[in-house]
Each structure stands twice: as structure tokens, then as C-alpha cells.
Amino acid sequence: MESKRLQLLEEEDRKPKKVARMGFNASSFLRKSQLGFLSATSYCRLAHELRVSCMERKKVQIQSSDPSTLASDQFNLILADTSSQRLFTVNDVKVGGSKYGIISLRGLKTPTLKVHMYENLYFTSRKVNSVCWASLNHLDSHVLLCLMGIAQTPGCATLLPTSLFASSHPAGMDRRGMLCSFRIPGAWSCAWCLNVQANNCFSTGLSRRVLLTNVVTGHQQSYGTNSDVLTPLLFNGCRSGEIFAIDLRSRSQGKSWKSTRLFHDSAVTCVRILQEEQSLIASDMAGKIRLWDLRTTKCLREYEGHVNEYAYLPLHVHEEEGLLMAVGQDCYTRIWSLHDAQLLRTIPSPYPASKADIPSVAFSSQLGGFRGVPGLLMAVRQDLYYFSYS
């Protein structure tokens, strides 16, 4: 395993890099496009695939008001906001526990590649089970965290206003916000609801039920299930492998509110709904990643190569670029074509594989916001790497 990683790292430094598709180069598909053999959509998709195949790794310099912490605190996860201007980070501290930060990506410009980390005084000794951006006051005004209970302290869901990291705010953004916490014992995971039928609401996955909470009114609606809910959205993934949709128009506690049901053979760890809401991508603890048609409830295709046996690992879907990304339990970052499930790139971690060093990634064609740089960010240990995507 280690020899394979070192070999891939050596290949990463070579120029030019190998591409996944035979005869795949810029001049060939540009010529095909000019002759009318490729549609504009296919041309753009293939252009993104070629760029992914040619990405090069560079280290990013992180600046902070307290540089000493950068050398000791390790990245647990990074999560980009909707506009890719900021990264929310959870960092494991040396003395135990976790702290939060926001990295502004506005300084991520080549060739300097410098970003600034904004921190606050909030610290938790509890495990952070799940994180997502929440749009309460305005787009991405808060971060929603699901914290595991310990000893006599029950689990909870906490809304953390990004105004606490004041200097990280985009210019002109309203800085008001409220910090609130909801006591939810046994919560596995959380998700902010984007559906207008559940405005100002978030859902949490618990043992054999889903809990929908309205942040403004405090009203809670519970939906009973036959299995622990590990991924709570309007589509929910369960430990049993079942994926079901909640019909928010139904207030009954019976089975009538399950409007769609899909099945994996192992515990579902991540669910992503595509923009047109007619298909869904899900991954499980057997390493299977499947694209489902929600109208026919049939599996359209599988994305092979992902490795997972026990971890709660996210999927990263980028429909505009036609890409799907996932970091495996083996610490390899894999990139597939969303269109036909072709494995385009396998990126090794700069460090030997271990449970504590699984990289966390973020991708965008505009890192830093409008007119930002395109590419992939990878956080592992104390380091942040940028894979240029020109």
C-alpha cells in the first residue's frame, strides 16, 4: 500500500501527466467540436476532465494571528461555503478536543498562494459528528454543527454565527447573528433544509428517527424509522442501507410520509440530491457509490474504486463541471466523470494512510469567489494543499 502511494506521488510530480481516457487531449476534442462532432455541453465537460487530469499540487501558506497554533493543530475537516469564498474548519488541538476557524480564500492567488485563518474562542471537548453551512439571516450566515454527547452532557445541534469570525466576512455583509444550541441526545448527523416547505429548519438523524427542528419557532416534528439515520436530509440514509424521502405535506407518524424508497446493501454514509431533483447520489460503508433515478427508483450507474468500511465520508458533487469526488478510507482522493462514471484521477495523500490522517477536500472553479482561482484544496494534518486547475 505504501509503495503504491509513493509511486503515485512520484507520478504526480511528472509532466505531462497521464490522462484517463485513451487519445484524450485538448487539440483532439477541440477539432471534434469545430467539426460538429461534439456539442457545447460535451466540449465543456471534456475540458473540465482534461483540466482535472493535469492538476498540480502546491502548498498553501496559512497566515494567522496566532502562528504557533498552526504548527500543532491538525485539520479534521474543511467545508467551503456556497460561493467558495470561505472554508469552515474543524481542527483537532494537541491537548484534546476541537476548535473552529474560518479561512478566507480571497488571498488564494497564484503564485503566492496565501490565505488567512480567522479563529474564535469557542472550543469543544466533544466529537464533531457533522457540519454544514446554514442560511438563517442570509446566505451561509451560520454553521450548523452536530456534537456527540459525553458523560453527563447530552448531544446537541449548535448554530454558530459566522459573525463570530468577524474579519472573515465578505465586504458589506450583515454581521449580526445568533448563537443557539438545541439539546438533541443521540444525534448522529445534521443537515440544513433548503426546501421552502421547511424554511428556517434543520434535520438531525437519530436512532430510528429523524427530527425536523424550526430554529425560529422551536417547533419539532419527529419521523420514526426502522433504522438509525446517518444522513438526515429530506432524503435520508440509514444504517440499514435504506434511503427514503420525507413528504413534508404529511404530518402523520405512520409510513405514509415515506414518498420514495431506495436500498443499498450497507449503511448509507452520504446522500446528495442533484439540482434538477430527479436523481440522487449515495455512498455506503461497503465503498459503493450509486446514482439513482428518483422517478423509476432504479440505479443508473456505479462509481467504482471508492474505499470505505466504517467511516462517515462525504461526497462532493459538482454538476456544472460534471465531476464527482470522494476521499476514501485509504486516504486516496478519487475523481470521476459524473456523466459516465469514468475514474479520471486518483490523488494520493502526501502522508502515509492512517485513520487519523484522512484528507478533507473542497473543489470549485472559483475558489475565493467571483473571478477566483479554479482548483482543489486538500487539508491533511497541519497542511493545506492547492491543486491548480488551469
Side-chain angles (χ1 to χ4, degrees), residues 267-287:
V268 176
T269 58
C270 188
V271 174
R272 292 287 182 265
I273 304 168
L274 301 192
Q275 287 178 358
E276 80 285 357
E277 297 187 359
Q278 294 179 352
S279 51
L280 170 153
I281 292 183
S283 60
D284 62 32
M285 286 192 183

Side-chain angles (χ1 to χ4, degrees), residues 99-117:
K99 68 177 185 180
Y100 315 126
I102 285 183
I103 292 178
S104 171
L105 298 179
R106 283 174 286 174
L108 189 65
K109 306 291 183 182
T110 54
T112 54
L113 295 178
K114 293 181 181 180
V115 296
H116 197 97
M117 167 81 83

